[in-house]
Amino acid sequence: MIPPSDTSGPRADIVLPCLDEAAALPGVLASVPHGWRAIVVDNGSTDGSAELARSLGATVVHEPRRGFGAACQAGLLAAEAEFVCFCDCDGSLDPGLLRGFVRRIADGESDLLLGRRRPGERGAWPLHARAGNVALARMLRRRTGLRLHDLGPMRAARRADLLALDLTDRRSGYPLQMVVRAADAGLRVAETDVPYLARTGKSKVTGTWRGTWHAVRDMRAVLGEPPARTGVSR
């Protein structure tokens, strides 16, 4: 992890979708690179997450419409930096690693860089969640030709490129729709390994087989959409 005092390289806004993550928030926000703006999008928390995030210096955006995509899009619209990153707010991923993501994009290596999760401890990634991810990666390859292994939540891109994708999914299909539309638009999509730890608290999506397959259902619908016209030009 890059020390928080390191201010070299381009800066970014980091979107952190949040639903009852008070236990994880202090550690997550402490890992945000120095000089970056943390945008915590509260999606209806009842545990004081929004107030805690604000007290820790984060910008808090309230998104009353429930859904992972709704929270991510609200954060994207609130972002102002040239580069925008996304990361879960549950302590499973280290936001400090995103500094390297943004450097690689700024250097022209890729346009959308995803974090390929590599479990760093037992139980970090349940079997049902891995199975769903493998199935989606295969479907994505057939749809776009992209040979990705993971459709995880940690990612970075230029704000202008993301806005031009005109993302419409407001549930679990949002991360996949971002990748599909980026591929359709000719953006260079790549992945890089990131450590993945057990989350703090219970997952709202992949904590159960039912939640996982509901997410897969949402994503299958995204894969069935015709290629979208976007404002991205390369």
Side-chain angles (χ1 to χ4, degrees), residues 41-212:
V41 185
D42 187 71
N43 204 206
S45 298
T46 59
D47 67 347
S49 288
E51 295 77 11
L52 176 60
R54 190 176 290 109
S55 74
L56 294 172
T59 296
V60 176
V61 173
H62 292 278
E63 175 49 69
R65 180 170 41 173
R66 283 291 181 92
F68 183 75
C72 287
Q73 186 68 10
L76 174 60
L77 295 176
E80 299 175 351
E82 178 183 0
F83 301 96
V84 177
C85 302
F86 296 84
C87 186
D88 274 354
C89 203
D90 58 13
S92 62
L93 295 162
D94 179 3
L97 298 174
L98 285 164
R99 188 183 294 279
F101 281 45
V102 171
R103 281 195 180 116
R104 290 174 62 174
I105 294 170
D107 289 344
E109 290 186 32
S110 65
D111 300 307
L112 173 60
L113 186 58
L114 312 180
R116 180 185 181 184
R117 291 169 289 184
R118 295 291 200 175
E121 57 188 31
R122 190 171 184 176
W125 201 356
L127 177 60
H128 55 267
R130 293 196 201 193
N133 194 67
V134 169
L136 286 167
R138 288 174 178 169
M139 289 186 281
L140 176 69
R141 185 175 303 179
R142 288 196 295 269
R143 167 64 175 77
T144 66
L146 290 174
R147 292 184 171 274
L148 300 178
H149 300 86
D150 188 13
L151 297 170
M154 192 178 216
R155 52 190 61 195
R158 282 184 168 81
R159 177 175 177 270
D161 284 347
L162 293 174
L163 290 174
L165 296 178
D166 192 24
L167 301 174
T168 57
D169 192 282
R170 296 296 180 264
R171 299 198 305 178
S172 300
Y174 186 92
L176 177 62
Q177 188 180 59
M178 182 186 294
V179 174
V180 170
R181 292 198 174 182
D184 287 347
L187 297 182
R188 296 164 300 166
V189 183
E191 64 183 3
T192 188
D193 289 355
V194 294
Y196 190 53
L197 305 176
R199 62 159 289 137
T200 300
K202 185 178 179 181
S203 171
K204 286 77 176 176
V205 177
T206 58
T208 65
W209 278 98
R210 182 178 181 182
T212 296

